[in-house]
Each structure stands twice: as C-alpha cells, then as structure tokens.
C-alpha cells in the first residue's frame, strides 16, 4: 500500500493474491489498524474502507512500514529461537533457560526452532553470492542485513552491547579521517555487535583474508583498539581483525583514496575497473576528445569493485529491476556499456552473481558514469535552445527549471545553432526546422512529460544513426 501512488488497494485483489476470505480480511484490518496506532507519530496512520471494496491507506509511509516490520519481528514467536541460534547455541546459556526468559515453554521453544530451521532453509539463508564463501562469513552477512535494515533508525539492535559498542566506535572514530555519517554509525555499531556475539558463541572466522602489506600502521591501530576494547575474556584472531578491517576499508570508513595501494593489493578489483574502461573506449559512446583519466571514473569504479570483490554486503536497497528502465531511457549509451560489461563480469570473477547483486552493480556503475562523465563528452547529448519573447527574465526561469530537470544529457542553449535539437519558446517560429515546444504559461507536469517524450524520440533516432548495429529496442 505504501508503494501505490494512490495508497489504495482493491479488497478483491488482496483477497485473491493472499488467499484470504472476507472474514479474514476484516479481522486483519482491525489488527493492522491497532498496530498502526501503536507506531503512529503525531499524524495518525490507518487504513479505512470509506468506498466499499477499496482499502485506502492514510500516512502509510516507508518509515511507518519499517516500524511495523520491526514490531512484527519483535512479536514473532520464531525470533527468540532465531537469536538463540545466531548468538547463544554454543554458549553456556541453555535453551530451556533462554526459552523461559522469553516467556516460552521448553516444548514451544523447540517447536518454534524446528519451524525456524525449515523457514531458513526454504529461504536459502546460509547461501549468498560473493567472493568469500566461508560459512561464518555468510552467516554474519545475513545477520548484518537483518539487523541493519530492520532496526536502523527505529531501535538500537542488540541493546545489551550498547555500552561496549559505543566505546569501540568512539575509539575507532579517532582513526577515521572524517566524522561518521548517521548511516555509517549504525553500520559500524551493527557489525561490531554481531562480530562480538558470534565470537562469544565460538562461531569464528577461520581464514585470514588480507596479505601482510595490508596490515600496515592503520591496521595495527585498529587491531589495538579492538583487542584492548574487548578485554581479556575475548582475544580476536588475525582472521577476525582482518574481517573488521576489510569492512572498514571497503565501506569507506578509512577514506582510502590511494589508487596505487588498491592496485597493488586488490588485483581483481583493479582488473574489473580497467576492463570496464576498455569496453567504454571500444564502444566509442563518448566524443573523441574525452580524457577518461581526468573524469575520475576509474577511481569511482575501483571503489565499487573493491567492495564488490572483498567485503560485499548484499544490498537491500537499489535492487529493484523495475527502476532500471528509467536509467536505460535517460542514459542509453551508459546502459549499453554496463549491460555488456555485466555479461563479461561472469567470466572475470569466480563466483555466481545473484539477481540482486547484478541490479545493484548496474546502479553503482550507472551512478559512477553519471557522476564523472560530463554531458559535453557524450555523443547522445541533446541540444535545447530556450528563447522566450518576454526576454531574459522568463528565459532564465525556464533554463533554471530545465537544469533541475537535466537528465538525459541535455545541453542548454540561448541561441539557435546548427546543433540545436529542440526549440522551446512561447511562439512558433517559421525559421526553426527542429521540433518546437510552445509554452505560454509556466510548464506543467504534462508539459515536462511531453518534452521528455520528444527528447527520448530524438535520442532513439540519434542512437540508431550512431550505433546502427545495436538493437536499441531490446
């Protein structure tokens, strides 16, 4: 409901999709509204059926649905069994004691544990795409995903470790080149808590992943903070320090911008980055005078590929394939490069790519190109001349609006030239041979949509001319 533009759903469709009777729907509607009242803020959130057969959501925002998700997770009868499996099953805490502490009988707890085991297996919980296929590494990634995405911004996860994680984060912050952002703080806290609890439960990373040259002064400083912070009862191994340092390195905490350092120590990330640039050059989607070295594209690719091949946290955002078509329409030549490269990646890395990983890499590479390659260096750029009879005041307003709308590699002109593709004015001109857009009033959403259609049509025609051998309809 939160994803529907109108925040409305038909009762009949819900019933069909979820296999629920009207009686069940009525029952769940009452329950959901009670739960929404629990998580509501100043503005109430609720669902009503003022129009018969139509459920309408009020203030059903993304944040509200996140709060509901956490409410249901904490309420779940399986969650205590999940946390026991994750953090205590190899410790001194006995299952029957843990069950009692969580208001379950021993028999109910074991019944839930069996159900949990089947649920985890059905959802491939112990399988994940990535370079590191060590079982413990995969388990920690899954736990990180769950706690980071479910608790973030609402509650602090695993609160028994708040004081210890705060101390460690405070000491580590002194080693970082900049203050942590709110999302970085939550990431670090979540990772450290899971790292500590898994070690206490004797679930350890066995394989050291870094080479000696990477265990430099910064590494030793991180190791000292972690070892001293945990105290005598828990001494992390080299493999465990490697684990945390790899996270800090690839997630940007250490502000690594030494290209040579990465090239010397991470050959797979380097190979992927150079191969991307090779394909970009061979496809000739940029102008001949483009100096790729000065764009910063390589450095951005290196950062993406370092994370991808070293400590890849499989994402839960930017994984919707539905949004790919938006970027394909606006940046078709970038889309061409990325799709072909992702096909080649399968032969360059020794592990399988999940669907989510492929989509996330698509977005990452797309953002690298958008952020680094100037519009002036793209062959599919569109020249738009803005010329209003009211003079520069109105012309400047439309130009500013266009700049905010500036997707699809638009170059704005104030004078008509041989390069002009679209002419925007308040009067039609017999002197102009290119498509004309006439706006007598400030442009509406429909006006912008019409302009976008013209831009895409011109771009498609240009692409067919520039790259006649490529099927742009695919």
């Amino acid at each position: 409901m939160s994803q529907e533009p109108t925040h409305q759903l038909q009762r009949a469709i819900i019933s069909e999709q979820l296999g629920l009777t009207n009686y069940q729907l009525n029952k769940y509607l009452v329950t959901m509204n009670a739960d929404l009242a629990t998580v509501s803020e100043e503005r109430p959130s609720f669902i009503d059926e003022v129009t018969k057969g139509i459920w309408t959501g009020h203030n059903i925002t993304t944040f509200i649905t996140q709060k509901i998700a956490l409410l249901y997770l904490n309420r779940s009868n399986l969650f205590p069994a999940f946390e026991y499996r994750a953090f205590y099953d190899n410790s001194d805490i006995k299952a029957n004691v843990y069950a009692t502490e969580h208001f379950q009988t021993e028999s109910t707890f074991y019944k839930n544990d069996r159900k949990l085991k089947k649920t985890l297996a059905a959802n491939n919980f112990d399988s994940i795409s990535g370079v590191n296929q060590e079982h413990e590494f995969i388990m920690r990634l899954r736990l990180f995903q769950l706690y980071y995405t479910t608790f973030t911004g609402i509650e602090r996860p695993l609160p028994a470790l708040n004081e210890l994680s705060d101390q460690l984060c405070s000491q580590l912050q002194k080693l970082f080149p900049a203050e942590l952002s709110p999302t970085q703080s939550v990431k670090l806290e979540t990772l450290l808590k899971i790292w500590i609890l898994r070690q206490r439960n004797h679930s350890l990373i066995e394989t050291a992943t870094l080479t000696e040259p990477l265990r430099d002064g910064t590494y030793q400083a991180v190791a000292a903070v972690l070892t001293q912070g945990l105290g005598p009862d828990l001494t992390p191994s080299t493999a465990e320090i490697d684990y945390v340092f790899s996270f800090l390195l690839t997630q940007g905490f250490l502000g690594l911008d030494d290209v040579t350092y990465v090239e010397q120590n991470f050959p797979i990330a380097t190979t992927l980055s150079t191969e991307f640039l090779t394909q970009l050059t061979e496809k000739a989607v940029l102008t001949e005078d483009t100096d790729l070295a000065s764009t910063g594209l390589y450095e951005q690719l290196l950062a993406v590929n370092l994370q991808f091949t070293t400590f890849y946290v499989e994402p839960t955002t930017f994984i919707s394939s539905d949004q790919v078509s938006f970027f394909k329409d606006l940046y078709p030549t970038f889309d061409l490069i990325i799709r072909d490269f992702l096909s080649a990646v399968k032969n360059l890395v020794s592990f399988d790519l999940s669907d989510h990983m492929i989509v996330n890499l698509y977005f990452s590479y797309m953002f690298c190109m958008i952020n680094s390659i100037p519009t002036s260096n793209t062959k599919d750029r569109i020249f738009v001349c803005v010329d209003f009879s009211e003079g520069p005041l109105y012309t400047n307003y439309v130009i500013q609006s266009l700049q905010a709308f500036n997707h699809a590699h638009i170059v704005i002109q104030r004078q008509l030239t041989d390069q002009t593709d679209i002419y925007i004015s308040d009067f039609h001109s017999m002197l102009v041979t290119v498509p004309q857009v006439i706006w007598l009033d400030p442009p509406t959403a429909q006006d912008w949509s019409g302009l976008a259609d013209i831009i895409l049509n011109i771009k498609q025609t240009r692409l067919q001319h520039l790259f006649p051998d490529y099927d742009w309809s695919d």
Side-chain angles (χ1 to χ4, degrees):
M1 184 169 284
S2 69
Q3 295 173 2
E4 288 291 328
T6 61
H7 299 296
Q8 291 184 330
L9 290 172
Q10 293 183 34
R11 172 188 277 265
I13 292 177
I14 301 173
S15 176
E16 181 181 353
Q17 289 183 346
L18 302 182
L20 299 173
T21 65
N22 271 327
Y23 172 78
Q24 290 172 313
L25 285 176
N26 291 335
K27 178 182 175 182
Y28 288 138
L29 181 59
V30 172
T31 302
M32 286 190 293
N33 275 326
D35 295 333
L36 286 169
T38 301
V39 302
S40 286
E41 300 171 312
E42 293 182 5
R43 183 183 172 194
S45 300
F46 61 95
I47 302 169
D48 62 24
E49 192 176 358
V50 175
T51 303
K52 185 175 176 59
I54 302 293
W55 281 11
T56 301
H58 301 271
N59 193 34
I60 309 296
T61 64
T62 298
F63 184 52
I64 289 296
T65 57
Q66 288 174 333
K67 292 177 74 172
I68 282 285
L70 181 56
L71 177 71
Y72 290 159
L73 178 68
N74 284 323
R75 186 184 294 172
S76 169
N77 289 327
L78 301 190
F79 192 44
F82 177 86
E83 292 206 308
Y84 184 79
R85 269 181 175 270
F87 301 124
Y88 306 110
D89 62 349
N90 294 321
S91 71
D92 295 333
I93 301 176
K94 301 302 180 183
N96 59 338
V97 175
Y98 190 86
T100 301
E101 290 176 347
H102 288 81
F103 312 104
Q104 292 184 12
T105 65
E106 186 175 354
S107 60
T108 298
F109 183 82
Y110 283 119
K111 179 181 178 182
N112 288 333
D113 184 66
R114 288 192 296 272
K115 184 177 180 181
L116 172 70
K117 186 176 180 180
K118 293 179 181 179
T119 301
L120 295 180
N123 287 276
N124 297 316
F125 188 79
D126 60 351
S127 175
I128 199 168
S129 298
V131 174
N132 193 331
Q133 289 297 299
E134 183 176 344
H135 181 263
E136 178 59 19
F137 189 90
I138 293 173
M139 287 298 98
R140 293 186 190 185
L141 278 184
R142 287 299 195 202
L143 291 168
F144 178 86
Q145 288 172 323
L146 174 69
Y147 284 91
Y148 176 68
T149 59
T150 310
F151 283 80
T152 181
I154 306 170
E155 294 178 12
R156 296 183 69 181
L158 307 168
L161 289 178
N162 282 353
E163 183 177 351
L164 178 55
S165 68
D166 286 346
Q167 293 172 357
L168 289 174
C169 289
S170 177
Q171 292 301 312
L172 287 171
Q173 172 67 77
K174 298 175 182 178
L175 306 177
F176 303 151
E179 285 290 324
L180 297 182
S181 69
T183 55
Q184 284 182 313
S185 296
V186 175
K187 275 186 177 181
L188 183 57
E189 174 189 0
T190 305
L191 180 109
L192 288 176
K193 287 179 174 179
I194 292 169
W195 180 67
I196 293 167
L197 286 175
R198 291 294 286 183
Q199 289 181 91
R200 287 180 177 176
N201 197 41
H202 307 290
S203 303
L204 305 175
I205 295 287
E206 301 289 349
T207 306
T209 55
L210 301 180
T211 58
E212 280 305 322
L214 286 168
R215 299 191 182 106
D216 55 11
T218 303
Y219 177 96
Q220 298 303 329
V222 169
V225 168
L226 297 176
T227 302
Q228 294 168 14
L230 293 181
D233 296 333
L234 184 60
T235 303
S237 66
T238 299
E240 290 290 357
I241 301 295
D242 282 1
Y243 173 83
V244 176
F245 191 76
S246 294
F247 174 83
L248 298 177
L249 188 69
T250 59
Q251 300 297 314
F253 288 86
L254 299 176
L256 181 64
D257 55 6
D258 187 340
V259 172
T260 303
Y261 177 87
V262 178
E263 290 175 335
Q264 290 176 346
N265 294 287
F266 299 95
I268 301 177
T270 303
T271 298
L272 289 172
S273 303
T274 54
E275 180 62 26
F276 190 99
L277 293 185
T278 298
Q279 290 208 22
L280 177 58
T281 302
E282 290 177 350
K283 290 290 192 302
V285 299
L286 304 179
T287 58
E288 288 72 12
D289 60 348
T290 302
D291 179 16
L292 279 177
S294 66
T295 64
L297 176 59
Y298 176 69
E299 290 77 6
Q300 293 190 43
L301 291 170
L302 205 57
V304 169
N305 291 323
L306 175 63
Q307 180 179 338
F308 169 51
T309 59
T310 306
F311 199 114
Y312 186 78
V313 179
E314 191 171 69
T316 55
T317 57
F318 291 104
I319 55 174
S320 173
S321 57
D322 295 339
Q323 300 301 317
V324 168
S325 59
F326 172 81
F327 289 93
K328 178 183 177 182
D329 289 340
L330 293 179
Y331 306 99
T333 54
F334 290 178
D335 176 89
L336 160 64
I337 298 298
I338 295 168
R339 287 178 184 272
D340 283 0
F341 180 73
L342 287 175
S343 296
V345 164
K346 297 175 182 178
N347 299 319
L348 295 172
V349 295
S350 58
F351 57 89
D352 295 330
L353 280 72
S354 69
D355 291 340
H356 284 175
M357 181 180 285
I358 290 173
V359 175
N360 184 251
L361 278 175
Y362 177 95
F363 285 128
S364 297
Y365 291 143
M366 179 63 75
F367 297 152
C368 282
M369 299 183 78
I370 293 172
N371 292 336
S372 60
I373 298 176
T375 294
S376 58
N377 291 123
T378 59
K379 288 184 177 179
D380 64 332
R381 61 192 183 278
I382 302 296
F383 291 87
V384 178
C385 177
V386 181
D387 175 30
F388 281 83
S389 62
E390 290 295 325
L393 196 63
Y394 198 87
T395 297
N396 290 340
Y397 165 76
V398 174
I399 286 176
Q400 286 186 356
S401 299
L402 274 171
Q403 288 171 339
F405 177 73
N406 189 17
H407 300 301
H409 294 147
I410 297 173
V411 179
I412 300 173
Q413 303 172 304
R414 292 178 181 270
Q415 298 291 332
L416 197 67
T417 70
D418 292 339
Q419 291 180 304
T420 302
D421 297 299
I422 300 173
Y423 179 78
I424 300 179
S425 181
D426 49 348
F427 286 97
H428 187 275
S429 173
M430 297 175 61
L431 302 176
V432 177
T433 58
V434 298
Q436 299 186 44
V437 175
I438 310 301
W439 287 342
L440 296 179
D441 296 301
T444 64
Q446 187 174 359
D447 291 329
W448 286 119
S449 178
L451 176 61
D453 290 340
I454 295 173
I455 290 173
L456 293 179
N457 288 335
I458 293 174
K459 189 179 286 285
Q460 286 293 325
T461 302
R462 177 158 300 159
L463 292 171
Q464 293 289 353
H465 174 71
L466 290 172
F467 309 98
D469 297 329
Y470 190 80
D471 183 8
W472 293 99
S473 64
D474 185 7

